[in-house]
Structures are given as C-alpha cells and as structure tokens.
Amino acid sequence: MAARVLDGKRIRDEIKAELVGKVRALKAAGITPGLAAVLVGTNPASEVYVRNKVKTSAALGLFSEKIDLPASTSTLELLDLVDRLNHREEIDGILIQLPLPPQVDQSLVLNAVDPAKDVDGLHPINVGRLVSGDYGLVPCTPAGVIEILKRSGIPIRGARAVVIGRSDIVGKPVALLLMHEHATVTVCHSKTRDLAAVAREGEILIAAMGRPAFVAGEFIRTGATVIDVGINRLTTEEEVRRVFHDPTGPLRLLAEKGQVLAGDVQPEDVKKRAGAYTPVPGGVGPLTIAMLMANTVSAAGARRGRPAPKSSDEC
Ligand code: NDP
C-alpha cells in the first residue's frame, strides 16, 4: 500500500484558522497579542524567516514589530533592547532570530528574555519546565512535529519512537515531548553504534540531523511513521544526483531556482517503506511559524492571567 503523505500545509492552515478565533476572543477582552522580532545583520535566510513571521502575525491580527539592527551590534546593546522589550506591556513574544553575529554572546542574550515572553522556548526556565512535564512555551519545530502526529491520528502513547539528532532546538525537545506523550523514546546521535538497526526499531522515526537523504530505506521499519525535520539546500548538480535516485525533476528545479530542498530522509525510499511520512518541502517546515504564532497567542493570554481559549470555546 502506498505510504500516506502527512501534509504540513494543511495542518498549518488548520492551526492558523483556530488561532484567528483565539485572537478574536482575546481582542474582545481588550488584549492584542504582540510579537517583537529582532534581526541582527543581513543574513538573507534570516531576513526571509523574519519577514514571513511578521507577515503571518499581521495576517492573524497580531500586533508585530520588526527590529533591524546592524551586524556590528554588541552584546550590551542587545541586552539593553531585550530589557526594554521585556518591560513593554504590549509585547507578549520576543523572538531573537538566530544565528547572532559572532561577537554577540548568544546564550547571555537568550537568557535575558523574560521567560513569559520567550516564544522560542529556549530560556532555561522553559527548558526546565519542558523537562519536568509542566510546560507552556516549547520550541516551535518540535511542537509542530507533535501537532502533525496528533492531527494525523498517529498513536504516540506506547509507541516506540526513535529520534535521530540531539540538538537543544530540535532533537532534545522533540524527544521530551514524545516521552511526555507516553512514547518509549530512543535518542540517537553521531556516536550511536549501528544507527540503522536502532532507527529500524522506531514505529515513529524523527530525523533531525542536517544530513541530506542520510536516512535510507534500511533505517525505516516497514509501516513506520517518518517525520523528516531536515531542511538541506542542495546547490550543485552533484549533490542533487547523490540525493535523488531519479534526479530529473530536481535537476530541472536546480536549473530554474538555483537550489533544491532535501530532507534528512531519502525521499524515494521512504515512500516504499513507511506507512506515513512528511515530505520536504511541505511537511514539518510550514508548522514552525504557525507554532510561533500559537506560542505568542498563548503567552498573551497567560501573561494576563487568561489562558487563551480553546478554539472550540468560540464555536
Ligand atoms: P544540529 O546540527 O544542531 O544537530 C544535528 C544533530 O544530528 C546532532 O545531534 C548530531 O549528533 C546529529 N547527527 C549529525 N550527523 C549524524 C550522523 N551521521 N549520524 C547520527 N547523528 C548525526 O541541527 P539542528 O537540530 O538544528 O537541525 C537539524 C535539521 O533540522 C537541519 O537540517 C535543520 O535545517 C533542520 N531544522 C528544520 C526546522 C524546520 O522548521 N523544519 C527548524 C530547525 C532545524 P551529535 O550531537 O553527536 O553531533
């Protein structure tokens, strides 16, 4: 039977539609959720991400503010900005777009964000809450992974889940969320022995490595649900031929756009072995901004002692 495609765009649109209702309910109570997005320097990818975040905020009826700072900005200047944003009542979410320039002490800046406004879920207090299971603001991409699984009706409770990758932004939080959802979780990394065999134990397999098409057929248990978090930009014909068994379409795309996106999972193998999988693009990627919006809306409610209503409350 053909593997089922888990459509991230459809789930993103569903979440956004629910958020519109939640924002309306908050506004009726005099609360407009506000997001401040801070961009330091001129990294083109970061500029696109921040622009999309601000655009989505506006489309959902949030107040948003984009703050552009020069690449030469110092740690002290950023700390001063974060302090001002922490004290501004109308700002509920503070997003510091990463990476920051090398002269900036990234963790000092992230740790200065008020945990109640930490919509990226990276502050140690929010990380601790995630570990303990009493969590509110969690990192957006891992939260998106859980939304895809739940909204696609994939059973998590009791399932064997294998996560490849242990970064603070993706691998660790996704593993913790799966554990809190009662999966039995194994976390793999670059030192894991016999990785393919361990991965093959997963009824749910999460690939978050940053290695294009590394997860080949032998890593995938027959019928597993495979969530591909990887976003790798291929820019040469050689890379495209290495990743795609049939490179015709991708090579055309490379000629047109100058780059082709590939996940961490071999895109043709997964169709043959998995029961369900997220494509790249169009799988996990679309969820990240939606979950940032969800975090901002819930921060706005929580900061005023008013948890955001569930979408069904407004129906
Ligand atoms: P990191 O580079 O921070 O972490 C990669 C992890 O993968 C590490 O834990 C590393 O192990 C592990 N790893 C790397 N190579 C291997 C290997 N050969 N075998 C086993 N494990 C390996 O990446 P991120 O977690 O930040 O991102 C992962 C991917 O997800 C990237 O492609 C990124 O672009 C994408 N991403 C997508 C997002 C989205 O919106 N969809 C958002 C964020 C990231 P070790 O710890 O031992 O080094």
Side-chain angles (χ1 to χ4, degrees):
M1 209 167 68
R4 180 177 151 211
V5 180
L6 305 178
D7 181 354
K9 290 185 187 161
R10 184 188 60 74
I11 296 168
R12 170 200 62 194
D13 291 345
E14 204 175 285
I15 292 170
K16 277 171 50 174
E18 291 167 8
L19 284 173
V20 168
K22 291 180 182 177
V23 172
R24 205 180 297 132
L26 283 170
K27 280 186 167 175
I31 302 165
T32 299
L35 175 71
V38 180
L39 176 63
V40 186
T42 54
N43 177 325
S46 295
E47 279 179 2
V48 173
Y49 291 142
V50 170
R51 203 164 47 237
N52 287 340
K53 288 167 184 175
V54 171
K55 209 166 85 187
T56 308
S57 304
L60 296 179
L62 274 64
F63 164 73
S64 65
E65 189 171 291
K66 179 169 176 275
I67 300 162
D68 288 293
L69 296 172
S72 58
T73 304
S74 68
T75 303
L76 267 181
E77 285 166 324
L78 263 175
L79 287 174
D80 182 52
L81 171 67
V82 167
D83 185 52
R84 276 181 281 132
L85 293 173
N86 282 344
H87 285 93
R88 277 177 57 189
E89 190 48 31
E90 76 281 19
I91 298 296
D92 298 292
I94 301 171
L95 168 101
I96 313 284
Q97 185 64 45
L98 302 179
L100 290 170
Q103 78 277 8
V104 174
D105 185 332
Q106 185 165 300
S107 61
L108 209 56
V109 171
L110 295 181
N111 294 357
V113 172
D114 179 347
K117 299 188 178 188
D118 168 39
V119 282
D120 264 339
L122 298 175
H123 191 284
I125 291 214
N126 288 321
V127 174
R129 289 186 61 188
L130 175 57
V131 172
S132 75
D134 168 31
Y135 45 92
L137 297 174
V138 301
C140 302
T141 302
V145 168
I146 300 298
E147 287 295 327
I148 291 180
L149 292 171
K150 285 188 169 174
R151 289 174 188 255
S152 304
I154 308 291
I156 306 177
R157 176 185 284 263
R160 285 298 298 265
V162 175
V163 180
I164 313 182
R166 57 175 167 180
S167 73
D168 292 342
I169 293 176
V170 187
K172 280 180 204 158
V174 98
L176 285 162
L177 287 169
L178 286 165
M179 188 176 70
H180 293 313
E181 294 290 338
H182 309 294
T184 301
V185 184
T186 303
V187 181
C188 303
H189 44 76
S190 64
K191 309 293 180 289
T192 299
R193 250 184 285 132
D194 208 357
L195 181 61
V198 180
R200 232 174 13 247
E201 289 173 13
E203 294 163 282
I204 296 172
L205 177 61
I206 315 281
M209 320 162 70
R211 300 272 181 271
F214 190 97
V215 175
E218 56 168 337
F219 289 65
I220 301 169
R221 175 184 181 133
T222 304
T225 297
V226 180
I227 306 291
D228 190 352
V229 182
I231 297 181
N232 306 292
R233 287 167 213 283
L234 313 180
T235 53
T236 67
E237 203 177 307
E238 189 197 344
E239 283 176 309
V240 170
R241 287 187 187 281
R242 203 169 47 227
V243 165
F244 295 94
H245 295 162
D246 175 6
T248 324
L251 282 174
R252 206 179 307 123
L253 202 64
L254 180 69
E256 276 168 26
K257 310 241 180 210
Q259 67 168 23
V260 177
L261 288 187
D264 289 346
V265 180
Q266 211 300 314
E268 285 130 77
D269 288 1
V270 74
K271 289 181 196 163
K272 292 185 198 136
R273 299 279 292 229
Y277 70 98
T278 55
V280 175
V284 175
L287 268 295
T288 299
I289 292 184
M291 298 318 294
L292 175 72
M293 299 298 123
N295 273 351
T296 306
V297 170
S298 81
R303 285 185 58 238
R304 290 150 174 105
R306 200 193 129 97
K310 290 193 179 66
S311 49
S312 56
D313 294 351
E314 296 114 42
C315 299

